[in-house]
Amino acid sequence: MSSAKTSLLGSLGIVLVLTVAVALGLTGGHSFPEGDFGYYQAFVASLARGRVDLSIPGFHGSDLFAVPWFWLSASPVAQIHVLLVWACLLPLLGFLAGRALYRSNRDGILLAVILAMMPFISFVAFRGWTGPAYWGLMLLSLILIRRLPMLAGLSLALAILTKPFAVALIPLLLVLAPGKSLLRRAGWLVIALGLPALYVLWQYLTIQQVYMGVHTDIGLAGLWLGWERLFLNATHAFQMLFSVHNYFYPDPCLTGAGNMLHTTPILIFLGLFALLTPSMFFQNKWVPIALLLGAVGGIVLNVPLDHMDHFYMEAGVLLLILAALPVLRKHPLWIPFVLLTLHFQWFYFYREFRSSFQLTPAIFVVPAVVDALCLFWILFSAPRIWTAIRSFFRGFRYEHWVFGPARGTRIQFFRYFFVGGSSAVVDFCVYVTLLSLDTHYLLAQLGAYCIGFIWNYLFSILWVFESSKNFVREVAATFVITMLGLLWTELLLYGMVDFFDLGEITAKIIATAIVLFWNFGARKVFVFRK
């Protein structure tokens, strides 16, 4: 089998793992049909009965896919069921879209992982919000544009009929479409814009009004709210793109999921960096221009509305993410930082929808699987990553303290301080997360300690100590030392919490600092001694 086929199969294997992780994560929640869902489900039921009822508010492009399932099941939440299927397909569609755009499996995997780590675009399916189908249709248009442009036009038309902001993809699709002349490239555009135009015309002729989505009280004339609101919205958009925390400035008490960035600001920064230095990352000079025009357009289209909403900015954000992929490919040291900051999305999502979606810790299987894949990648790519880090620090006066064999107890302890410190951070984060899930503090410590142990052992043999040839003895001794360290930690926690009335977090910090010396000394003497 050729190396290209092997690479593709390996990439598809990773995508399959991500898809299964998302599917398992979705078992950790329940549907909560509310608000907009009623309009979407009513349109599905109407269409299934053979009637196109455009008096039902909302943009219904993605609702078409729920009709066959409604015929088969007559489910009152058929629209939500189909959105959950779209959510499971996003990693695969992301992989195919990244691969189609940059002709690289690595870019496809990066996009698949990033999309899997964005619960506000996938897990909102529980509420009947159309995010999963909207993203899926936009990605599908990117996948099809080079080989089946007319189908790409149909996919984009349905995306526009789901949220009109999908028109932001048109510049990029024009660049990617086959054909030597612009006229040949733009054939699919007739479908992409023609179908939405027919929909609007049909709705106007039917009810003498054009709905702005589900907002029946707003017409085309009601969109303009003045120059002051325009300026405030533009300023708010800039804030949303470069911060995780946010608020709804017209009324801070109504701050919700739509007022925060649904990805990491690092991706926004890297995407802009690529677009402002295109010669470093793009071979086709028109691709970065199209990405920039589309990203700006996708965000600016939201500015004239009542307020900025990230659910409306998603087409522009998708294009910025696509622009960031070549930077991550060329500078892979950014990848762990991107994934680390994407974890915030899961905590915010859990806090926002824990009650309404009846969320359980099962949703966190997605970031857990992504973390495992990232760790695998770090270990597999360790020599290249190490070379990149070393080239950055070349010429550092105390280079031997960081690079090369760790000779001497002082250097080993210096390095173990950082290994132990980083594993303590991992341990502490898992501990706090489990506590927030109402886990007993002793059980939380057990789970956190096990995760921290794996981190500590891997980086100890990579950077601090020289691994022995007797692997079985080494692992067994490390396990015994780790269990003793866990025992000391549990006893210290129990004593400080139950007898001295210290807080669980304070006690954890003190116990971790004390046990750090045990872990280093025992490993030095009993495991990695010459």
Side-chain angles (χ1 to χ4, degrees):
M1 186 180 294
S2 66
S3 59
K5 288 185 177 180
T6 303
S7 174
L8 178 60
L9 288 176
S11 301
L12 289 173
I14 294 173
V15 173
L16 177 61
V17 171
L18 289 172
T19 303
V20 172
V22 172
L24 291 174
L26 289 170
T27 65
H30 296 80
S31 61
F32 183 69
E34 186 183 63
D36 302 353
F37 162 79
Y39 298 128
Y40 302 137
Q41 181 67 19
F43 186 82
V44 170
S46 171
L47 202 59
R49 297 186 184 102
R51 180 168 176 258
V52 182
D53 188 356
L54 296 183
S55 67
I56 300 173
F59 294 113
H60 300 292
S62 65
D63 295 338
L64 300 177
F65 298 94
V67 173
W69 178 239
F70 185 85
W71 281 333
L72 293 172
S73 67
S75 170
V77 290
Q79 186 254 4
I80 289 179
H81 290 163
V82 173
L83 288 176
L84 293 173
V85 174
W86 276 108
C88 292
L89 290 174
L90 284 182
L92 175 60
L93 293 174
F95 168 74
L96 294 175
R99 187 172 184 266
L101 177 59
Y102 294 115
R103 304 183 187 277
S104 162
N105 291 333
R106 181 175 297 180
D107 290 292
I109 291 173
L110 284 172
L111 185 56
V113 170
I114 289 168
L115 295 181
M117 287 291 285
M118 294 170 59
F120 283 99
I121 71 168
S122 52
F123 281 59
V124 292
F126 286 128
R127 195 166 183 170
W129 288 348
T130 54
Y134 178 54
W135 279 76
L137 288 166
M138 289 193 293
L139 294 169
L140 195 58
S141 66
L142 290 170
I143 296 167
L144 296 172
I145 189 62
R146 279 194 170 115
R147 296 190 177 185
L148 300 167
M150 294 304 172
L151 284 180
L154 177 61
S155 180
L156 184 63
L158 294 175
I160 293 171
L161 286 172
T162 302
K163 286 190 179 75
F165 309 97
V167 296
L169 268 69
I170 289 176
L172 179 60
L173 294 176
L174 280 173
V175 170
L176 299 178
K180 294 183 179 180
S181 67
L182 183 61
L183 186 62
R184 286 181 175 272
R185 287 174 178 267
W188 56 272
L189 201 54
V190 176
I191 298 174
L193 296 180
L195 288 179
L198 286 174
Y199 178 94
V200 171
L201 180 61
W202 191 353
Q203 187 175 64
Y204 182 78
L205 293 175
T206 303
I207 61 174
Q208 286 73 54
Q209 183 180 354
V210 176
Y211 289 146
M212 294 295 101
V214 298
H215 305 289
T216 57
D217 56 331
I218 302 176
L220 288 173
L223 289 178
W224 178 251
L225 298 174
W227 290 105
E228 180 182 358
R229 181 55 65 91
L230 196 73
F231 173 77
L232 290 172
N233 278 349
T235 307
H236 193 205
F238 190 81
Q239 180 195 359
M240 290 173 71
L241 289 171
F242 290 97
S243 63
V244 176
H245 303 277
N246 226 298
Y247 72 104
F248 179 61
Y249 75 84
D251 186 351
C253 294
L254 298 179
T255 299
N259 308 116
M260 63 172 288
L261 184 65
H262 294 170
T263 187
T264 166
I266 295 178
L267 281 174
I268 304 299
F269 167 76
L270 295 179
L272 286 174
F273 176 68
L275 295 178
L276 295 176
T277 55
S279 60
M280 296 174 60
F281 302 104
F282 298 97
Q283 294 179 343
N284 185 335
K285 66 177 182 179
W286 294 107
V287 168
I289 294 174
L291 286 169
L292 182 60
L293 287 174
V296 172
I299 294 164
V300 167
L301 285 172
N302 191 178
V303 172
L305 303 184
D306 175 68
H307 64 279
M308 297 304 296
D309 190 316
H310 196 281
F311 290 110
Y312 298 158
M313 297 165 60
E314 287 176 341
V317 170
L318 169 60
L319 292 167
L320 287 173
I321 292 174
L322 293 175
L325 295 180
V327 185
L328 295 175
R329 184 196 331 126
K330 191 170 183 179
H331 303 287
L333 289 178
W334 279 107
I335 294 174
F337 295 101
V338 168
L339 296 182
L340 180 64
T341 48
L342 279 171
H343 282 69
F344 286 109
Q345 299 295 316
W346 292 91
F347 295 118
Y348 283 120
F349 184 85
Y350 187 78
R351 290 179 63 84
E352 176 80 14
F353 296 113
R354 179 180 183 181
S355 176
S356 55
F357 294 167
Q358 302 176 49
L359 297 176
T360 69
I363 70 164
F364 292 107
V365 71
V366 179
V369 167
V370 169
D371 289 343
L373 290 173
C374 182
L375 185 58
F376 238 168
W377 171 77
I378 289 173
L379 293 176
F380 181 76
S381 307
R384 289 192 297 113
I385 294 174
W386 206 240
T387 300
I389 295 175
R390 186 163 190 171
S391 65
F392 180 80
F393 285 101
R394 186 169 290 125
F396 178 51
R397 182 178 177 184
Y398 299 103
E399 184 179 354
H400 62 285
W401 284 70
V402 180
F403 302 106
R407 296 188 177 93
T409 302
R410 285 189 305 166
I411 295 178
Q412 287 180 339
F413 184 76
F414 172 80
R415 295 188 183 185
Y416 189 81
F417 178 81
F418 289 98
V419 170
S422 61
S423 65
V425 170
V426 172
D427 182 328
F428 188 78
C429 290
V430 175
Y431 179 72
V432 172
T433 302
L434 292 175
L435 286 180
S436 69
L437 301 177
D438 299 326
T439 308
H440 189 275
Y441 73 91
L442 292 178
L443 289 176
Q445 170 57 30
L446 175 61
Y449 199 88
C450 291
I451 301 297
F453 157 68
I454 296 172
W455 178 282
N456 189 299
Y457 176 73
L458 289 174
F459 283 95
S460 288
I461 62 175
L462 284 172
W463 192 42
V464 181
F465 302 109
E466 185 178 344
S467 181
S468 66
K469 295 181 180 179
N470 193 336
F471 178 74
V472 175
R473 175 192 171 281
E474 183 179 292
V475 171
T478 304
F479 177 77
V480 172
I481 291 169
T482 301
M483 290 301 102
L484 288 174
L486 175 61
L487 177 62
W488 308 146
T489 307
E490 296 279 16
L491 289 175
L492 287 168
L493 275 178
Y494 179 70
M496 287 186 284
V497 172
D498 284 37
F499 289 95
F500 294 98
D501 295 325
L502 287 180
E504 295 168 348
I505 303 299
T506 304
K508 168 68 175 172
I509 293 172
I510 296 172
T512 299
I514 293 173
V515 175
L516 172 70
F517 291 93
W518 156 259
N519 283 332
F520 172 76
R523 282 169 170 75
K524 169 76 174 173
V525 174
F526 298 111
V527 181
F528 299 106
R529 65 182 179 184
K530 294 291 185 180

